[in-house]
């Protein structure tokens, strides 16, 4: 009996000793851990990522993000290629990925002039269809897509990029055929399809005074009609020298004052020289060497400015956390970004929160450390 007791005591001591020498590796917090009590932090995913073919990106998503949006696979041209056919394969994979990883999901986007199925607004001769036909097509598309994911998504970008920088309406085919009415109709149809899903208006250059004024009027009008609108999405495609942060903040506050949440829905910051081009995001500029100044790596001097400015934007979002609901980066790593091909094809840009080696940019690491420290200090008080 005595021997057994001695042996047990020795074993217990050894085990305790072993535990005591093991470094207690508390998993380093991710962005969602330090931002979780402020707003959702998300990323756009491409079709390879939703298919699980980019395991390094999946690891980043699991550690850092609690929200996702489909970069392309839920857009009209991808999901509804002909009037009689829908292709839900990639969109279903996106939703499956989100459910499997417990991620909050946003649908992007229901009504947009770009990546629009070519048949959507025209007849077989290519002529604009009548208002009645377009309304029915919008209703069919929105009902079919929104009902399919009912109960799975937090919200939808119902209408995307309908207003120009000067505050005028984009003369899209939706506008040509239905006038301004296409927007309330889209929100009405989306709400009819799923009364519980959140509904958003989403656009870029939302810091522009003219656009700000019209979007505020749009939100007021939708509410006056008794239609649901939960948030305004400021895409947040920014550069090193635009937009003016005061104007950006003025817009955040103006939208928040309308009683809707503000979301940064497509955040990226080009690290490259801004090329002068039309405001129409679909225009591109012929490649010129001077426009691709950092083909190998971003110089430290530029990286420092980039990280400082990204940190300043994040501080702005934190300052207005009371009206913010989500900040979403438009891609996981620099290599995934649309900015490598826009506005200049073949450029190498460095616009996202993680680099091509899947490592966090310095401002991300500093933000996590700073907020983690603040959290510890608050807890100690
Ligand atoms: O799906 C086709 C594929 O079948 C074909 O083989 C391939 C080669 O041409 O093209 C594929 O389509 C591409 C699509 O992305 C999916 O990868 C289009 O050419 C390409 O133009 C399209 O670019 C997307 C762009 O929207 C289109 O305007 C970008 O990936 C996407 O990041 C970008 O995202 C938009 C937001 O949805 C709205 N706000 C602006 C933002 C940037 O334009």
């Amino acid at each position: 009996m005595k021997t057994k007791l001695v042996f047990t005591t020795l074993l217990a001591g050894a085990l305790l000793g072993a535990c005591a020498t093991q470094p207690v590796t508390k998993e380093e917090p991710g962005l969602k851990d330090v931002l979780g009590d402020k707003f959702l932090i998300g990323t756009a995913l491409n079709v390879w990522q939703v298919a699980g073919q980019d395991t390094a990106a999946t690891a980043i998503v699991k550690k850092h993000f609690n929200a996702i949006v489909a970069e392309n696979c839920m857009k009209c041209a991808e999901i509804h290629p002909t009037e009689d056919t829908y292709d839900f394969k990639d969109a279903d994979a996106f939703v499956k990925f989100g459910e499997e990883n417990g991620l909050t999901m946003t649908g992007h986007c229901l009504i947009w002039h770009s990546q629009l199925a070519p048949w959507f607004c025209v007849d077989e001769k290519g002529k604009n269809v009548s208002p009645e036909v377009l309304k029915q097509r919008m209703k069919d598309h929105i009902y079919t897509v929104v009902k399919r994911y009912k109960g799975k998504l937090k919200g939808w970008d119902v209408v995307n990029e309908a207003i120009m920088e000067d505050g005028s309406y984009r003369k899209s085919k939706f506008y040509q055929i239905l006038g301004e009415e296409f927007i309330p109709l889209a929100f009405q149809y989306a709400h009819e399809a799923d009364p519980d899903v959140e509904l958003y208006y989403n656009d870029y250059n939302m810091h522009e005074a003219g656009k700000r004024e019209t979007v505020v009027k749009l939100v007021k009008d939708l509410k006056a009609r008794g239609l649901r609108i939960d948030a305004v999405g400021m895409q947040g495609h920014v550069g090193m020298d635009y937009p003016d942060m005061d104007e950006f903040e003025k817009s955040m506050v103006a939208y928040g004052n309308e009683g809707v949440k503000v979301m940064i829905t497509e955040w990226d910051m080009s690290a490259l020289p801004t090329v002068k081009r039309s405001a129409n995001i679909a225009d591109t500029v012929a490649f010129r060497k001077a426009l691709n100044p950092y083909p190998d790596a971003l110089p430290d001097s530029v990286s420092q400015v980039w990280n400082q400015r990204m940190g300043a934007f994040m501080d702005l979002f934190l300052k207005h956390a009371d009206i913010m609901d989500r900040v979403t980066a438009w891609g996981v790593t620099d290599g995934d970004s649309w900015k490598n091909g826009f506005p200049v094809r073949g450029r190498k840009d460095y616009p996202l929160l993680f680099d091509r080696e899947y490592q966090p940019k310095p401002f991300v690491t500093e933000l996590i450390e700073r907020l983690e420290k603040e959290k510890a200090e608050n807890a100690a008080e």
Side-chain angles (χ1 to χ4, degrees):
M1 180 56 184
K2 194 164 176 332
T3 316
K4 190 161 179 286
L5 183 60
V6 167
F7 174 72
T8 310
T9 310
L10 282 173
L11 178 63
L15 284 175
L16 274 175
C19 293
T21 53
Q22 290 290 335
V24 179
T25 51
K26 180 175 166 300
E27 166 84 1
E28 282 307 305
L31 284 166
K32 65 182 180 182
D33 302 310
V34 296
L35 292 170
D37 59 340
K38 297 171 172 63
F39 38 70
L40 289 168
I41 181 73
T43 183
L45 296 180
N46 60 39
V47 288
W48 300 280
Q49 288 160 349
V50 297
Q53 290 166 7
D54 185 346
T55 50
T58 301
I60 290 178
V61 172
K62 287 181 170 179
K63 178 177 177 64
H64 289 282
F65 297 114
N66 48 27
I68 53 171
V69 62
E71 183 178 15
N72 285 296
C73 67
M74 286 186 153
K75 293 170 178 174
C76 183
E78 306 288 336
I79 210 167
H80 195 177
T82 71
E83 187 164 9
D84 307 327
T85 54
Y86 284 89
D87 178 356
F88 290 115
K89 182 174 81 57
D90 291 332
D92 287 354
F94 167 77
V95 172
K96 183 167 176 284
F97 181 94
E99 288 182 321
E100 284 172 352
N101 291 289
L103 297 160
T104 298
M105 290 178 271
T106 299
H108 174 79
C109 48
L110 294 171
I111 297 297
W112 186 29
H113 65 280
S114 182
Q115 287 179 278
L116 178 68
W119 58 269
F120 204 94
C121 292
V122 294
D123 61 20
E124 59 289 346
K125 296 194 187 70
K127 273 179 75 270
N128 285 358
V129 294
S130 69
E132 289 60 42
V133 168
L134 181 55
K135 280 195 262 188
Q136 191 56 52
R137 287 181 177 181
M138 283 173 62
K139 194 170 191 172
D140 292 346
H141 177 74
I142 292 171
Y143 271 37
T144 306
V145 176
V146 172
K147 286 180 180 207
R148 185 179 183 88
Y149 302 114
K150 185 175 168 56
K152 297 174 184 285
L153 308 184
K154 180 180 193 312
W156 274 99
D157 290 338
V158 177
V159 173
N160 192 42
E161 302 176 11
I163 311 293
M164 303 304 282
E165 280 64 14
D166 64 1
S168 63
Y169 275 70
R170 182 185 298 275
K171 302 303 177 279
S172 68
K173 287 193 172 294
F174 293 106
Y175 182 85
Q176 291 168 26
I177 298 166
L178 292 169
E180 298 178 14
E181 274 312 292
F182 83 91
I183 298 180
L185 282 169
F187 277 83
Q188 174 196 327
Y189 299 153
H191 186 60
E192 288 167 354
D194 180 355
D196 302 323
V197 76
E198 292 184 356
L199 306 178
Y200 318 133
Y201 175 75
N202 189 51
D203 210 330
Y204 62 90
N205 286 350
M206 292 279 266
H207 60 280
E208 294 279 357
K211 187 172 286 204
R212 171 168 63 228
E213 202 182 312
T214 301
V215 171
V216 164
K217 262 186 355 213
L218 172 63
V219 173
K220 287 182 190 298
D221 177 52
L222 291 173
K223 284 175 170 275
R225 293 170 185 241
L227 291 170
R228 179 172 186 162
I229 176 166
D230 298 273
V232 165
M234 300 174 72
Q235 291 181 6
H237 295 298
V238 299
M240 301 276 269
D241 56 359
Y242 76 91
D244 173 88
M245 292 193 75
D246 292 340
E247 284 304 309
F248 196 91
E249 182 174 21
K250 221 162 137 185
S251 285
M252 290 173 70
V253 172
Y255 303 136
N257 284 345
E258 294 311 311
V260 292
K261 286 291 186 183
V262 174
M263 299 175 162
I264 307 301
T265 53
E266 304 180 14
W267 193 28
D268 51 32
M269 180 184 295
S270 178
L272 306 182
T274 303
V275 286
K276 292 288 163 261
R277 56 177 172 76
S278 76
N280 192 332
I281 207 158
D283 296 346
T284 58
V285 174
F287 183 88
R288 288 198 308 277
K289 213 134 178 48
L291 295 175
N292 188 29
Y294 316 122
D296 303 322
L298 201 58
D300 283 348
S301 58
V302 179
S303 174
Q304 275 161 24
V305 174
W306 184 92
N307 277 282
Q308 185 280 326
R309 187 164 161 81
M310 285 292 276
F313 269 103
M314 181 53 85
D315 286 346
L316 185 62
F317 306 155
L318 289 167
K319 175 181 172 186
H320 295 283
D322 57 318
I323 58 170
M324 295 291 296
D325 195 50
R326 171 166 59 92
V327 173
T328 289
W330 201 243
V332 181
T333 72
D334 290 340
D336 300 322
S337 176
W338 71 294
K339 296 300 290 180
N340 294 311
F342 180 88
V344 183
R345 294 194 192 290
R347 290 213 292 185
K348 189 169 185 180
D349 207 338
Y350 307 80
L352 289 167
L353 280 59
F354 293 82
D355 64 24
R356 286 173 172 80
E357 287 68 49
Y358 295 88
Q359 295 308 305
K361 298 288 181 71
F363 99 91
V364 171
T365 311
E366 284 150 24
L367 175 76
I368 291 172
E369 283 167 3
R370 172 162 58 91
L371 294 183
E372 190 66 0
K373 189 160 164 281
E374 280 174 15
K375 207 157 83 171
E377 285 162 358
N378 293 342
E381 277 168 9

